[in-house]
């Protein structure tokens, strides 16, 4: 996966919250702060841990602090996913892995 979509982020947040009927993250709320949407820092941290494990990425802690809205968070995650997908062929070449 080279992009995290808003619908997937919503599913992941709800899974950690245990709330099937949580706030719908739509384009209308992309710029609201997490707390305004009913998500605390623990929810975001759990979501981040899951995303890092699932996609094999590591998100910068300082950048995470600035990712205080869904739009900023998706931007951070997707930039890292893009970087990873861009760097993968170079790593494979260095290791002489045939694609």
């Amino acid at each position: 996966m080279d992009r995290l979509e808003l619908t997937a982020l919503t599913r992941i947040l709800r899974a950690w919250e245990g709330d099937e009927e949580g706030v719908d993250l739509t384009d209308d709320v992309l710029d609201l702060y997490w707390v305004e949407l009913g998500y605390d820092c623990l929810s975001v941290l759990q979501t981040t841990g899951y995303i890092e494990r699932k996609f094999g990425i590591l998100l910068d802690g300082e950048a995470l602090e600035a990712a205080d809205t869904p739009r900023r968070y998706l931007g951070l995650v997707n930039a890292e996913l893009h970087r990873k997908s861009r760097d993968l062929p170079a790593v494979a070449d260095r290791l002489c892995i045939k694609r």
Side-chain angles (χ1 to χ4, degrees):
M1 170 184 267
D2 60 351
R3 184 159 185 78
L4 181 66
E5 299 294 336
L6 185 58
T7 54
L9 177 59
T10 301
R11 259 192 329 273
I12 296 166
L13 281 163
R14 285 183 179 171
W16 284 113
E17 283 291 303
D19 183 8
E20 291 298 316
E21 300 193 19
V23 174
D24 278 330
L25 296 182
T26 62
D27 290 338
D28 296 339
V29 298
L30 277 174
D31 295 313
L32 294 178
Y33 294 109
W34 290 117
V35 293
E36 293 176 290
L37 297 170
Y39 294 108
D40 61 12
C41 61
L42 183 57
S43 300
V44 177
L45 284 174
Q46 289 173 319
T47 297
T48 299
Y50 173 81
I51 289 170
E52 287 178 335
R53 286 187 307 277
K54 180 163 178 70
F55 302 116
I57 60 174
L58 185 61
L59 299 173
D60 179 77
E62 287 182 30
L64 274 170
E65 287 181 30
D68 53 0
T69 67
R71 183 183 309 278
R72 290 179 185 148
Y73 188 86
L74 285 169
L76 173 65
V77 171
N78 288 327
E80 187 60 27
L81 288 171
H82 177 73
R83 188 200 61 74
K84 179 185 174 188
S85 69
R86 187 190 67 224
D87 290 348
L88 215 63
V91 171
D93 288 342
R94 283 197 308 267
L95 297 173
C96 300
I97 297 172
K98 294 183 181 183
R99 293 181 259 154

